[in-house]
Amino acid sequence: MKNKKHTLIKPHETIFKLPSKGLKKKDLIENFKEYYVNLLGRDEQSRNTHYAYEALGLTIRDRLMERWKQTHRTYKQARCRRTFYLSMEYLMGRSLSNAMLNLGVNDTANQAMYDLGIELEELIESEVDAGLGNGGLGRLAACFMDSCATLQLPVIGYGLRYEYGMFTQLIVNGEQEEKPDHWLRLRNVWEIKRLEYAHVIKFGGRTEVYTDEHGLKRYFWVETNDVLAVAYDTPVPGFQNNTVNTLRLWKAEATEEFNLNEFNSGDYAEAVADKVGAENITMVLYPNDANENGKELRLRQQYFLASASLQDVISHWVGLYGEDFTLFAERNCFQLNDTHPSIAVAELMRLLMDKHGLAWAQAWEITGATMAYTNHTLLPEALERWPVHLMQKLLPRLMDIIYEINARFLSEVAAKWPGDITVLRRMSIIDESGDKQVRMAYLAIVGSFSVNGVAALHSQLLQQGLFADFYSLWPAKFNNKTNGVTPRRWLAGCNPELAELITEKIGSGWVTDLSLLKQLVPYADDAAFRKHWREIKQVAKHRLADYKKREHDIDINVDALFDVQVKRIHEYKRQLLNVLHVIYLYQRLKKDNSKNFVSRCVLIGGKAAPGYERAKKIIKLINNVATMINKDPDTQGKLKLMFLADYNVSAMEKICPGADLSEQISTAGKEASGTGNMKLMMNGAVTIGTFDGANIEILEEVGEENFFLFGLTEKQVAARREHYEPEHIIQQDEDLKEVMNLLESGHFNQLEPGIFNDLIQSLKDPLDPWMTIADFRSYVDTQARVDDAYRDQEHWTRMSIMNVAHCGKFSSERTINEYNQDIWKLQKLPVKFG
Ligand SMILES: *Cc1c(COP(=O)(O)O)cnc(C)c1O
């Protein structure tokens, strides 16, 4: 592919020189019209919001393109050290409004569209989300890309260009239905296909060994089925700084030589079918969050990402430095976003040895000095393990290498703990108990110079529990990087009214230095400011209510406390605890215990993995309880429960500005960090939460008086497990007993007998890993304190302001600066433009 000459003459340099595109209104209008009329072929008869969106998108992209190239040139000339972020997921959401914000053309574009009789908001809303991720982990990667560009760091994101992203969630008769998300059906104006950066990825076959003339063993991976990885680049603009970094996503295509033999031998249809098979690799995102999947196709995806990205980096290297790898580790760093891409450890070894002729020792030194691993979960069911026989079949050469890595590693372990067979067995990359499996997290730890968790508690629990052996072997490898979110999307972009108020008081520096929000503290005592703050929250609540009203057709009392829990549906996140509280409130209203009742609108949203039956049943329960409660005259104006269908990034942009209360109620020790908690805090929601993940750090920043802490701590949970008797707790607690009785009576499933039996049983099981019943009393009592606080609106507003004033730590710039100082060690490289 790369060797083919497509051009007969060399284009003159000047072909690439274009006058710079202006940022004035007239420039935008002129460019927009050209795209709308000429490229997209629109006229008076064919007005169309989507095409207008495309025309504006292309207009904006042109402005990015110039800066993008300049960024590329800047990095290339500097021959700087770079970081490559390897992630199976990027939950980017929409791009247009973010690109305009970062270019600083929001107002101009608004006026330009207005002059043309177009509502900019309508165009923005017509963009489909790029939903190439499941939840927190994928969104983290997107926030990181944004912050790296804003901090002017040479970081390139690598991922997969799934044809189908995260499914669209429909609710039918209260149940989740999954609709495939064919997001690329319409043109994606943000991506550029780059055929010149294509790489061949091998699967199957076998390893051949021979000894070369120097007596060295050389390995060949032969008789493989090859697939082509083709690059699609998306620009990642920094905030008003001319830096535009790259997110490179790989698409699988059939290789050119694809099964030529079969074509010639008459098996034409089979050959074409195989071609489709090759493209399957990047067809769909696996919709599992915090759960491994174990399917062969998933392993193919992981290897495809690792191999394409590493080949890309190495071929760039060879282009600049030839076959000399002496400085490779000094100039390159790979950050593995969870264990998903950890096969990269073995793949880098393979490429350096088999393709570039390095000896094991040198290749291993380079690998161990370039790889860094981020762990995202303590749930054992989420840690990937691949059967050795599958790895053997699909990636035979990599399996050889993993065995060799393991053998050398285990001799290091044996040297540290002589004669200790159990420690060898525990730490081995290959789990030999039962069907042999490769423990991918261990491969990542052994092959990396840095291992980090994503919040202080999480990193500490990794060191004490899951990875304790590795921690005692290599304590210096371990570190913490508490997650963060980008203030552009999660405050400046999604909450323009609040952003304006803040800027009016303290200036606009907070957009790139969120710690400056501390200057809001004195305003908490300013009554006029509080009034303004409340009005803005009220506008956002109206907007959220209107947006959801179309779907639910029920009247929402915007004076009610908006109580929000949006995140993936998972037992550990305990949406069930939230529902138990709603049922408790419902019973209070039914008993006419409604004096002093603080009106609440409880909003719950999130997707369940399609194969996770219990999570889907939780969605059904929420909807059934909602139906029963919302139609009851006794609850009118006082209590509403709504399930927000199809929770995604652009939904969250509407939800967080309107939230009063942020529900972060996972079983302590189970939520690695959480980032939804940070987005909601950033928009002035007060948290009710357990002592878990980044909640702990939020509490530390904002102070006890501005946070509703409840429930068992991680230590208490562990101790309690030994003698946990939920049935006993239920019998001792009148409120809980009534809630459970109502549930068990079938009150919420009168025409669907027994459908919630499994959920109810799971709560009452002494082995319930999530111990929901144990935290009920503390949760309900703390919710009563929430009511008290909300009744005093001045007090509540103060708390809300204090939350925003103390959210600075949770900017992803803070996180990225820490990654850079401790792990990446990149030079900030400003881009000169214009
Ligand atoms: C932030 C975000 C998440 C993560 O939420 P948690 O509450 O941290 O689990 C998941 N999905 C979307 C769409 C998000 O924006």
Side-chain angles (χ1 to χ4, degrees), residues 318-443:
V318 171
L320 282 176
Y321 304 89
E323 292 288 330
D324 182 357
F325 286 86
T326 338
L327 294 178
F328 188 84
E330 207 177 293
R331 300 274 162 91
N332 298 287
C333 178
F334 299 97
Q335 189 72 45
L336 307 176
N337 195 24
D338 214 354
T339 33
H340 312 151
S342 56
I343 190 72
V345 168
E347 175 66 359
L348 183 55
M349 289 298 289
R350 184 187 74 85
L351 292 169
L352 292 175
M353 296 188 301
D354 298 4
K355 277 182 84 170
H356 298 278
L358 270 62
W360 181 281
Q362 199 196 352
W364 185 243
E365 201 180 303
I366 289 175
T367 301
T370 51
M371 294 282 166
Y373 161 56
T374 304
N375 172 281
H376 281 270
T377 177
L378 292 157
L379 303 181
E381 62 269 33
L383 288 178
E384 275 151 310
R385 313 151 68 86
W386 291 109
V388 167
H389 70 83
L390 176 61
M391 197 77 99
Q392 199 83 257
K393 181 186 79 159
L394 205 63
L395 307 169
R397 178 64 186 127
L398 285 113
M399 197 60 238
D400 298 344
I401 292 171
I402 291 170
Y403 271 128
E404 181 72 25
I405 291 172
N406 197 37
R408 289 170 186 247
F409 162 63
L410 289 180
S411 70
E412 204 177 319
V413 175
K416 163 113 181 170
W417 292 287
D420 194 338
I421 301 289
T422 58
V423 82
L424 284 178
R425 217 173 269 145
R426 270 205 320 263
M427 295 182 78
S428 173
I429 295 171
I430 313 291
D431 179 357
E432 309 255 1
S433 63
D435 260 358
K436 281 200 203 174
Q437 291 184 317
V438 184
R439 295 159 163 161
M440 298 306 282
Y442 292 7
L443 177 63

Side-chain angles (χ1 to χ4, degrees), residues 442-690:
Y442 292 7
L443 177 63
I445 298 172
V446 172
S448 299
F449 67 92
S450 163
V451 177
N452 75 280
V454 289
L457 175 70
H458 172 233
S459 296
Q460 187 195 324
L461 293 175
L462 283 178
Q463 292 169 16
Q464 292 168 357
L466 210 50
F467 300 152
D469 292 326
F470 292 90
Y471 179 62
S472 54
L473 186 59
W474 297 310
K477 273 195 194 189
F478 287 78
N479 64 92
N480 172 246
K481 296 286 166 282
T482 299
N483 283 167
V485 302
T486 168
R488 267 76 59 201
R489 186 175 297 260
W490 298 114
L491 180 50
C494 73
N495 203 340
E497 292 87 357
L498 192 62
E500 196 184 306
L501 174 65
I502 295 170
T503 296
E504 193 186 300
K505 296 295 178 195
I506 68 167
S508 62
W510 61 270
V511 178
T512 52
D513 180 0
L514 206 63
S515 66
L516 294 177
L517 291 180
K518 284 235 161 66
Q519 295 172 16
L520 289 174
V521 168
Y523 291 98
D525 293 325
D526 175 338
F529 184 83
R530 287 200 302 271
K531 180 158 173 287
H532 206 155
W533 191 273
R534 261 197 308 280
E535 282 163 3
I536 286 167
K537 182 59 84 177
Q538 213 58 18
V539 167
K541 287 167 79 171
H542 268 287
R543 208 180 283 143
L544 176 53
D546 290 345
Y547 159 69
K548 280 297 148 194
K549 204 174 157 180
R550 274 172 266 155
E551 205 174 292
H552 290 268
D553 197 32
I554 46 177
D555 278 317
I556 301 164
N557 172 9
V558 289
D559 294 324
L561 184 160
F562 276 26
D563 172 349
V564 173
Q565 187 178 24
V566 284
K567 46 184 73 256
R568 287 299 290 259
I569 309 293
H570 201 294
E571 289 166 276
Y572 87 82
K573 292 179 183 278
R574 296 201 300 193
Q575 282 89 0
L576 276 178
L577 182 57
N578 194 343
V579 176
L580 295 181
H581 174 245
V582 173
I583 297 173
Y584 160 78
L585 291 178
Y586 170 64
Q587 282 182 316
R588 262 183 61 195
L589 287 173
K590 293 308 284 180
K591 285 191 285 193
D592 196 26
N593 197 354
S594 63
K595 49 198 166 312
N596 258 335
F597 194 93
V598 173
S599 295
R600 275 197 196 229
C601 178
V602 180
L603 305 167
I604 305 179
K607 293 171 185 174
Y612 188 175
E613 285 304 328
R614 216 173 249 174
K616 293 176 112 172
K617 203 48 83 56
I618 293 171
I619 292 176
K620 172 69 170 160
L621 177 65
I622 296 165
N623 281 299
N624 277 24
V625 172
T627 304
M628 177 62 74
I629 288 184
N630 295 346
K631 73 175 185 206
D632 194 313
D634 293 338
T635 68
Q636 293 318 302
K638 299 203 178 72
L639 181 62
K640 283 268 180 297
L641 172 61
M642 284 205 292
F643 187 82
L644 306 177
D646 201 37
Y647 174 57
N648 60 13
V649 171
S650 51
M652 186 54 158
E653 288 172 32
K654 295 199 177 65
I655 293 165
C656 49
D660 291 311
L661 185 65
S662 162
E663 298 269 355
Q664 308 300 338
I665 61 179
S666 53
T667 312
K670 297 298 174 186
E671 185 74 271
S673 162
T675 48
N677 46 4
M678 302 168 186
K679 298 168 202 166
L680 286 157
M681 178 196 201
M682 210 171 269
N683 285 273
V686 184
T687 304
I688 179 165
T690 46

Side-chain angles (χ1 to χ4, degrees), residues 34-96:
E34 267 165 34
Y35 281 123
Y36 195 64
V37 178
N38 286 342
L39 183 81
L40 305 172
R42 299 289 108 188
D43 60 26
E44 310 73 39
Q45 265 77 56
S46 57
R47 285 165 184 274
N48 178 300
T49 306
H50 175 74
Y51 286 106
Y53 153 73
E54 279 189 4
L56 183 58
L58 290 164
T59 302
I60 297 300
R61 193 187 78 183
D62 286 348
R63 274 79 191 161
L64 295 179
M65 185 62 76
E66 308 168 310
R67 292 161 175 84
W68 199 3
K69 287 181 181 152
Q70 189 56 28
T71 303
H72 189 77
R73 277 193 285 268
T74 305
Y75 293 168
K76 195 166 180 177
Q77 275 163 18
R79 297 203 162 197
C80 56
R81 176 173 164 86
R82 303 175 199 226
T83 288
F84 305 95
Y85 197 77
L86 267 55
S87 178
M88 291 285 284
E89 304 188 9
Y90 289 90
L91 198 47
M92 301 297 280
R94 292 173 174 152
S95 291
L96 176 61

Side-chain angles (χ1 to χ4, degrees), residues 67 83 128 144 154 163 181 211 234 357-358 390 421 489 503 532 543 560 604 676 716 722 749 773 807:
R67 292 161 175 84
T83 288
V128 295
F144 280 7
E163 208 76 30
D181 163 45
T211 311
T234 298
L358 270 62
L390 176 61
I421 301 289
R489 186 175 297 260
T503 296
H532 206 155
R543 208 180 283 143
I604 305 179
Q716 291 167 333
E722 308 298 314
N749 51 314
I773 294 300
C807 75

